[in-house]
């Protein structure tokens, strides 16, 4: 059985002898200078492009980070303004109740109520006007910032 196994192994070795010889020659074969230079140049070009892509992605990330930070800051500012408005409304409501409680007649109470309603209407109109102006500026600034950020990214990567 050992002889059969050895003869099978010898047959396999003989069948693959040309490949084994070619592989041995391939290991000692000298690579031409032009091929080595081509590989080096290609690798350097790929390395430069990877660095450029990384730098571009950093710029895009910075632009997004700036936009998000500005958005969070504005959202906090809006939240504070809403909280302040709610507090002012509550104060005005309780001051109005206190004033109404001091009325000595129904006609005086109606007059106080009319004055309070007119004052609240003026506050509402002023808030609506301020809110409209604020959001107009916010949208304009946001659009300008986005345009500037993308211009920076585009100009530096192009």
């Amino acid at each position: 059985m050992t002889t059969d196994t050895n003869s099978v192994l010898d047959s396999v070795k003989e069948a693959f002898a040309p490949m084994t010889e070619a592989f041995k020659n391939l290991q000692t074969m000298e690579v031409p200078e032009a091929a080595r230079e081509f590989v080096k140049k290609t690798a350097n070009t790929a390395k430069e492009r990877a660095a450029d892509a990384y730098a571009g992605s950093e710029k895009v990330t910075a632009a997004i980070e700036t936009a998000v930070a500005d958005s969070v800051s504005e959202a906090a500012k809006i939240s504070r303004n809403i909280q302040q408005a709610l507090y002012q409304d509550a104060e005005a409501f309780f001051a109005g109740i206190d004033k109404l409680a001091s009325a000595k007649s129904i006609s005086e109470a109606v007059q106080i109520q009319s004055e309070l309603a007119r004052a609240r209407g003026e506050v509402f109109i002023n808030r609506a006007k301020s809110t409209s102006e604020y959001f107009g500026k916010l949208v304009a600034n946001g659009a300008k910032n986005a345009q500037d950020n993308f211009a920076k990214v585009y100009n530096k990567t192009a």
Side-chain angles (χ1 to χ4, degrees):
M1 184 124 169
T2 306
T3 310
D4 288 340
T5 305
N6 286 340
S7 68
V8 170
L9 284 174
D10 289 340
S11 297
V12 169
K13 284 181 185 177
E14 282 180 40
F16 284 101
M19 282 185 68
T20 305
E21 190 64 31
F23 185 69
K24 284 180 186 175
N25 291 339
L26 184 66
Q27 289 177 341
T28 58
M29 186 176 91
E30 198 169 307
V31 178
E33 179 69 26
R36 290 192 307 253
E37 285 301 316
F38 174 76
V39 170
K40 285 180 184 177
K41 285 180 183 177
T42 303
N44 283 335
T45 301
K47 186 177 174 183
E48 289 171 5
R49 287 188 180 160
D52 289 345
Y54 175 72
S57 69
E58 283 291 317
K59 290 172 189 164
V60 169
T61 301
I64 291 169
E65 185 178 37
T66 299
V68 169
D70 290 346
S71 296
V72 169
S73 176
E74 287 302 320
K77 188 175 181 181
I78 291 168
S79 178
R80 282 189 201 100
N81 287 342
I82 289 170
Q83 292 167 3
Q84 184 179 14
L86 290 173
Y87 179 71
Q88 289 171 347
D89 288 346
E91 279 185 325
F93 175 75
F94 291 120
I97 288 177
D98 190 42
K99 210 171 190 181
L100 276 173
S102 68
K104 295 181 182 160
S105 68
I106 292 189
S107 64
E108 188 179 352
V110 169
Q111 183 181 356
I112 291 171
Q113 179 61 34
S114 318
E115 290 170 0
L116 290 174
R118 186 177 61 246
R120 296 311 312 151
E122 289 173 2
V123 167
F124 177 76
I125 290 171
N126 287 334
R127 280 186 186 157
K129 188 187 289 186
S130 295
T131 301
S132 174
E133 290 172 1
Y134 175 75
F135 279 117
K137 288 178 185 176
L138 188 63
V139 168
N141 289 341
K144 185 178 181 332
N145 286 340
Q147 184 180 19
D148 291 346
N149 286 334
F150 285 115
K152 287 177 193 173
V153 169
Y154 178 74
N155 289 336
K156 291 182 181 178
T157 58

